[in-house]
Amino acid sequence: FTPVCTTELGFTAKLKPEFDKRGVKVLGLSVDKLEDHAGWAKDIEETQGTALNFPLLADTDGSVARKYDMIHPNADNSLTL
């Protein structure tokens, strides 16, 4: 896994009660396949001691990520984002 992704997702899961207090809904977006998310969730629990406690959407074609400028337009799909 890309450590940044699982680290950020795990940290956000730990902070979710703070988001809840403020009436904020947490939502994750991944350009990887839905099948990969189960492995990420397991890794987060094992390495960070917290469960993935918010929805994680699979944007496999990257259309949502591109609409919100989350991926550099010159990014190489063969490299880790």
Side-chain angles (χ1 to χ4, degrees):
F1 302 116
T2 305
V4 173
C5 294
T6 54
T7 302
E8 290 173 346
L9 292 171
F11 192 72
T12 302
K14 288 179 182 178
L15 290 175
K16 188 172 177 296
E18 294 299 320
F19 287 107
D20 292 342
K21 281 193 239 179
R22 293 164 174 80
V24 175
K25 304 265 185 206
V26 176
L27 177 69
L29 181 72
S30 164
V31 295
D32 293 303
K33 297 177 290 194
L34 182 62
E35 297 81 27
D36 294 337
H37 297 179
W40 286 13
K42 182 179 176 189
D43 182 73
I44 290 166
E45 285 191 48
E46 289 174 357
T47 62
Q48 298 176 58
T50 191
L52 192 58
N53 54 6
F54 55 88
L56 183 57
L57 304 178
D59 178 30
T60 54
D61 68 358
S63 60
V64 176
R66 278 192 295 283
K67 284 180 184 174
Y68 287 91
D69 293 327
M70 296 171 73
I71 298 176
H72 191 281
N74 297 327
D76 182 341
N77 288 342
S78 66
L79 301 174
T80 302
L81 301 175

